[in-house]
Amino acid sequence: MKRIISAFALLVSLTLVSYTQTSSPAAKKSISAFTEKMQRIDGFIPMYVNSDDGRIYIEVTMFNFEFLYLVSLPTGVGSNPLGLDRGQLGTTKIVTFERAGNKVLLVQPNYDFRATGDARQKKSVEESFAKSVIWGFKIEAAEGDRVLVDATTFLIRDAHGVADRLNQAKQGNYSFDESRSALYLPNTKGFPKNTEVEATVTLSTNAETGNLVNQVAPTARNVTVRERHSFVELPDDNYRPRRFDPRTGAIPVSFYDYGTDINEDLEKRWIQRHRLEKRDPGAAVSEPVKPIVYYVDNGAPKAIQDALIEGASWWNQAFEAAGFRNAFQVRVLPPDADPMDVRYNVINWVHRATRGWSIGDSVVDPRTGEIIKGDVTLDSQRARQDFLLSAGMSPQYASAGNACDFGLLRDIDYLNPSDNAGDAKSMSYARIRQLSAHEVGHTLGFTHNFAASTYGRGSVMDYPAPLVEIKDGKLDLSNAYAVGIGSFDKFAVKYAYSQFAAGANESYELEKIVRDGVASGMLFLSDSDARPAGASNPLANLWDNGPDPVAMLRHEMRV
C-alpha cells in the first residue's frame, strides 16, 4: 500500500513539474540578445531591422508619453481625379504607447473633448468619451523598462488608404498585397525629434481595372506606391494659442471645453499658425528668434524654382507689417534633404498625367493649433494650360484673323509662336508666382477670401481670373496677375502673428487690429459664402476682377 501511495505521489509530482514547464510563459529575451544581428536605426523612437526576414522592430522606451503620428504618401499614382499625389499628407494624430501585460497598445486620446480645470475635471471628461486604440503590438523582448515589439505588419500595410480610394473611384477591387510589399530602407531614418519609416506598398486586383489607373500605371492590376509613417516629438509648452476671429481669414482648430462656466461658449476655437517670436520683444520691428523657412522642390526646373521662390517670398511683406524683419524666407531644398521630413516646410512641384488642382496642407498640433510643417503641392500641368490661354490671346493670330485663305493660316506656327512667346510665358510665370503665394498662404494658416477682388486685388488668397487689358487696340497681358501681397493678407498676418509688448492686454490688441482692419475695408468672405452656386454672397465670386461684375463682363466681351 505504501508503495502504491509513493508511486502515486511521484506521478503527481512529475505531472506538476511537467505542467509547470509547459504552461508557464517563457522568459523574454533581452533586447540586446534578441537584436544582436540586426541593424539598429537610432532616433526619436529606436528601430531594428532584421535583414534575413525583412521584419522591423520598435524599441518602446516611453510609456504614456504623447507624440505625433502621421501617415503620408511620398510617391503618388499620377492621376488628378484619383487624388493620390506625391507628397500627400494624411491625418495627424496624437498617440501614446501603453503597456498591457504582454502587449503594447498605441492609443489615441480624444482631444475633441477636454477640460481646462483641475485633474479631477480632466479625468471626468476623459472617461466620458471614447479613445481609439490604433494598434496592438506583441512584446518580443524586454530589458528593464524598455520593451521591443514587432511592428512589421503595422508599418508595411496600406495605412494611407490607397486601395480604398481606388475602389471608391471604381477602378477595380484593390487590396493590400503583402507578397509585393516591403520595407523601403533608403528612406527609413531616425532623427533626434522624429523617426521616419517608409514602405513599398502594392495594391492588387483580379477585377477589371478602370481607365484612370490604366492611364498612369504600367500594369494596372498592381499599383505600387510608397507610404510613410512619421513619429514626431510634440512641441514644447512655450507656444501660446491665439483665439480665432471669423473676420480675419484664419483657419481654426476647435474643441469642446467642459471646464468652462455654463454662461460661456462650450466650443473653443484657436487659429492655426507657425510659432514666431521676436528676438527683441520690445522693438516695434525685430528679427525673429527663428524664421519661418520654406523650401522649394529641387526637382523643379530652374526657371520654375525662381518663380516659386519669388511668389512665396511675397509673404515677407506681410510679416514686416506685423513687426518682423526677415521672418519669412524661401530657399531651394538642399540635395540631401528629404521633403517628407517634418522638419522642412516644402513647396512640391508635382506631376500628373492631366492638369489638376494645387493644395496647401499642414501638419498641425491638435492640442494648440501650432503648425509644425507646411506642405504645398503645385501641379506642373497647370502652368502649361496658362501658357495656352495666354498664347490664345496673343496678337500672333491677328495677321490671320480675317483671312479666309487657309494657306495664310498654315504659315503661323501655333505651337512655337516667335513674336509673342515672351508675353505668353510671362503671363504663365506670373500665374506660377501668384499660385505659389496662394498655396503657401494656406500653410501659414489662412483660408480663401473671395471678397478681396472687390477692393483692388486685396488678397493672394482669392481666386484670380487673368486681367487682360486693351491698350492701343491691342490685348495687353502684362498685368494679368497681381504682383506682391495684398492689403488683406497684411491684415490677416498682423492678427495671427503680431507679438505684443510685455504686459499688453492681448485680447484688447487683437480686437483693435480687427476693428481697424474692418474700418479700412478688409472684407472677408470665404468658401461658405461663395459655394455652392446659387446660395452665395454676390461679393464672393470666384475667378473675377473688380467690384462690378457687369462692368467686368462687358470688358471681357471686348477682349
Side-chain angles (χ1 to χ4, degrees), residues 309-461:
I309 290 172
E310 182 180 345
S313 297
W314 293 345
W315 280 102
N316 195 48
Q317 303 167 17
F319 284 97
E320 286 178 352
F324 290 92
R325 184 182 297 111
N326 299 321
F328 186 82
Q329 303 175 15
V330 190
R331 308 167 188 166
V332 176
L333 186 71
D336 59 343
D338 185 340
M340 298 304 295
D341 190 332
V342 293
R343 295 176 298 173
Y344 296 98
N345 304 299
V346 292
I347 303 172
N348 294 305
W349 188 246
V350 174
H351 308 291
R352 304 182 180 109
T354 57
R355 172 198 171 277
W357 52 76
S358 295
I359 302 166
D361 202 356
S362 301
V363 177
V364 179
D365 184 347
R367 305 172 305 168
T368 62
E370 180 181 356
I371 296 173
I372 298 170
K373 173 187 173 70
D375 188 89
V376 171
T377 296
L378 296 178
D379 177 68
S380 66
Q381 293 277 31
R382 197 165 187 165
R384 298 179 183 276
Q385 186 185 51
D386 290 327
F387 178 83
L388 292 175
L389 287 171
S390 53
M393 292 182 287
S394 295
Q396 59 173 328
Y397 297 98
S399 61
N402 297 315
C404 295
D405 183 351
F406 288 96
L408 291 177
L409 295 179
R410 286 196 298 269
D411 293 335
I412 299 175
D413 187 350
Y414 292 97
L415 296 180
N416 297 289
S418 56
D419 296 335
N420 300 289
D423 292 340
K425 286 181 68 175
S426 296
M427 176 175 152
S428 300
Y429 281 105
R431 175 59 173 142
I432 291 171
R433 288 189 285 271
Q434 194 281 332
L435 189 61
S436 177
H438 178 97
E439 299 302 343
V440 165
H442 286 313
T443 70
L444 293 174
F446 305 114
T447 189
H448 297 128
N449 183 2
F450 294 130
S453 56
T454 65
Y455 49 94
R457 292 175 161 181
S459 175
V460 297
M461 302 311 295

Side-chain angles (χ1 to χ4, degrees), residues 252-272:
V253 296
S254 63
F255 61 95
Y256 291 97
D257 183 358
Y258 288 85
T260 57
D261 290 334
I262 58 173
N263 62 327
E264 296 179 359
D265 191 353
L266 185 65
E267 184 182 18
K268 295 290 185 291
R269 293 183 292 175
W270 293 334
I271 66 172
Q272 295 182 18

Side-chain angles (χ1 to χ4, degrees), residues 3-41:
R3 290 178 181 176
I4 295 174
I5 294 174
S6 297
F8 179 74
L10 178 61
L11 179 62
V12 170
S13 176
L14 290 173
T15 302
L16 288 173
V17 170
S18 175
Y19 176 80
T20 303
Q21 289 175 341
T22 57
S23 63
S24 61
K28 296 288 186 208
K29 283 186 177 181
S30 68
I31 294 176
S32 55
F34 190 89
T35 62
E36 183 179 4
K37 297 181 180 180
M38 298 184 191
Q39 175 189 352
R40 177 180 168 90
I41 300 175

Side-chain angles (χ1 to χ4, degrees), residues 469-509:
E469 297 173 310
I470 302 174
K471 295 180 180 179
D472 300 325
K474 297 180 180 180
L475 298 183
D476 187 337
L477 310 180
S478 61
N479 194 33
Y481 292 103
V483 176
I485 217 72
S487 56
F488 184 86
D489 304 319
K490 293 180 181 179
F491 159 68
V493 169
K494 283 182 69 175
Y495 181 88
Y497 288 92
S498 289
Q499 182 176 340
F500 306 109
N505 184 323
E506 182 172 294
S507 294
Y508 171 82
E509 297 294 341

Side-chain angles (χ1 to χ4, degrees), residues 83-142:
L84 294 164
D85 298 319
R86 163 182 168 248
Q88 186 176 79
L89 300 178
T91 305
T92 305
K93 299 179 174 69
I94 290 181
V95 295
T96 64
F97 284 121
E98 293 183 10
R99 186 164 182 174
N102 68 337
K103 285 185 177 181
V104 172
L105 304 179
L106 186 64
V107 181
Q108 181 184 5
N110 197 334
Y111 270 94
D112 291 334
F113 307 95
R114 317 180 197 175
T116 53
D118 59 28
R120 289 170 297 179
Q121 287 181 308
K122 292 178 180 179
K123 183 180 179 182
S124 174
V125 174
E126 183 181 337
E127 292 176 345
S128 297
F129 297 95
K131 297 180 181 179
S132 294
V133 174
I134 305 299
W135 204 263
F137 305 91
K138 180 184 176 184
I139 296 176
E140 302 290 346

